[in-house]
Amino acid sequence: GGALAIASLALFWLVVRVAIIRPLFSLKRTSQALAEGDVDQRIDVATNDEVGDMAGAYSFSYTHLRAHETPE
């Protein structure tokens, strides 16, 4: 009973971490880099869910900003 519950909880945490937390931290790091002026960052989130949709929107924004960047 108890060991199965602990194993199930550990598996659930692993899935949440890989599917949600890691991609969100990647988006956070990339967004911070953009805020600091680094428009050469790439978003490496490839999921087929809402997080992936959001990453795609961020990627589109970065590409658009890069294309319209004013040379110094």
Side-chain angles (χ1 to χ4, degrees):
L4 180 60
I6 291 172
S8 296
L9 184 60
L11 180 61
F12 175 75
W13 172 247
L14 179 64
V15 169
V16 167
R17 182 175 176 183
V18 170
I20 298 171
I21 296 172
R22 189 176 294 161
L24 289 177
F25 275 125
S26 178
L27 283 173
K28 177 186 171 193
R29 281 191 309 272
T30 306
S31 296
Q32 287 172 331
L34 177 65
E36 294 170 0
D38 183 0
V39 294
D40 294 324
Q41 292 290 315
R42 309 273 307 163
I43 297 175
D44 297 325
V45 176
T47 60
N48 294 322
D49 57 11
E50 291 81 1
V51 174
D53 290 344
M54 185 170 60
Y58 272 80
S59 183
F60 176 80
S61 297
Y62 295 146
T63 301
H64 185 74
L65 284 171
R66 230 180 287 136
H68 293 87
E69 187 176 20
T70 305
E72 296 178 19

